[in-house]
Amino acid sequence: MTKRQYRRRKNKKSVFGIAVVTAILVFAVFVLMFRLRQNALRHVPEDKYVSLPFETNDYDMDNLVWNDQYVSYEDENYTSRFGIDVSSHNGTIDWKRVKDAGVEFVFIRAGYRGNSQGKLHVDSQFENNYRGAKENGIDVGVYFFSQAVNEEEAWEEVELVAGLLEGKEVDLPVVFDMEESGEGDKGRVKPISRDDKTRIAVTWLEAISQKGYKPMIYNSTSLFDHLFSIGFLQNYDFWIAQYYHKPTYQYRFRVWQYTNEGVIDGISKNVDLNLMFVKKTD
């Protein structure tokens, strides 16, 4: 090999090396700019993290009327609607029969985050349930089972839900459902402080609001105060779970899940039953 050939080969290697380094730098800058833009978009104003005075509800539970497993409510200010909530655990559903059984609304699980590894999952029956409910004239809301351990993961969950809902009509709120799932201390959210859980909840609810959906938070009456500082959640609708003949929760709420042992034609397994309190218009 002549010296000229050697220099040419060496120069080619140098040019190639410079090109590779340049490409890596450009890619790194692109990733950094993308993350900065993403972080700018994923912003919840600090004035949303404010504790407000508790609002009490003005329902008179003496106005509840039971008919076997069905319950209704009526007074001069409110009426009610009967509904269910479902996930893949309820199997394949015959939505026409569900409609004929008197179901007016449904909250459908869009997905969930695993309580150990934290992997995101889409509910395997979400599309079928959404399509079946809408085709049969049942109003639809959705919920997501969260195991987010920080605000970034809350945004990830919201992005997943928003992607699933793109192009779909949603009649009811999109619901944040966080529970301390998992045995012993193995659940992802169990070690997190109540303040951190509250901040994650507010982030999630504000993020879904920014996506154009009405936010709502779900939990049992016994766990709301345990998991969250609920003064910070007074801007949002509450969906409470209390398996009792009447709700005793004194604060404002919109939906009451009153049993997980409902029997509805068209659903082969027991299902959660819910009562929605609807304010009458003037």
Side-chain angles (χ1 to χ4, degrees), residues 249-269:
Y249 195 68
Q250 62 179 314
Y251 302 117
R252 177 180 51 80
F253 65 93
R254 183 181 177 192
V255 182
W256 170 37
Q257 183 187 89
Y258 58 89
T259 183
N260 62 352
E261 297 181 342
V263 178
I264 295 294
D265 191 33
I267 304 178
S268 60
K269 300 180 180 180

Side-chain angles (χ1 to χ4, degrees), residues 33-204:
M33 291 179 65
F34 175 79
R35 288 183 175 176
L36 289 173
R37 182 175 181 274
Q38 190 176 52
N39 288 337
L41 293 173
R42 292 180 172 183
H43 174 67
V44 175
E46 282 299 316
D47 62 5
K48 298 297 183 181
Y49 302 103
V50 176
S51 182
L52 300 173
F54 290 3
E55 296 181 32
T56 57
N57 71 73
D58 57 351
Y59 309 136
D60 181 354
M61 295 309 168
D62 288 337
N63 290 319
L64 288 173
V65 177
W66 284 89
N67 180 13
D68 193 20
Q69 67 175 351
Y70 295 88
V71 63
S72 62
Y73 181 93
E74 190 84 24
D75 67 19
E76 61 181 8
N77 296 314
Y78 297 92
T79 185
S80 66
R81 304 180 72 199
F82 171 72
I84 59 176
D85 59 273
V86 299
S87 70
S88 58
H89 297 300
N90 298 103
T92 302
I93 296 174
D94 184 332
W95 285 98
K96 183 181 185 306
R97 291 166 62 190
V98 169
K99 174 67 173 181
D100 292 343
V103 172
E104 299 174 280
F105 71 88
V106 59
F107 284 102
I108 301 170
R109 187 175 73 169
Y112 61 97
R113 187 188 288 274
N115 60 31
S116 57
Q117 300 302 314
K119 184 178 179 180
L120 292 175
H121 302 268
V122 175
D123 189 288
S124 61
Q125 288 294 319
F126 172 69
E127 294 292 343
N128 289 336
N129 285 334
Y130 174 85
R131 182 172 57 253
K134 294 298 290 184
E135 287 177 350
N136 286 279
I138 299 173
D139 283 349
V140 170
V142 303
Y143 73 96
F144 187 90
F145 180 79
S146 173
Q147 290 287 281
V149 297
N150 53 47
E151 294 166 65
E152 182 179 354
E153 289 192 350
W155 273 101
E156 289 174 356
E157 294 174 359
V158 167
E159 296 288 356
L160 174 64
V161 173
L164 291 172
L165 295 181
E166 187 173 358
K168 292 181 173 68
E169 181 182 0
V170 181
D171 311 287
L172 302 173
V174 177
V175 184
F176 172 78
D177 172 15
M178 175 183 279
E179 301 171 35
E180 290 185 335
S181 182
E183 297 181 3
D185 294 326
K186 295 181 180 179
R188 296 184 89 234
V189 305
K190 286 188 177 182
I192 304 173
S193 70
R194 187 169 71 161
D195 287 346
D196 286 342
K197 288 187 181 78
T198 302
R199 192 168 184 88
I200 290 167
V202 173
T203 298
W204 204 105

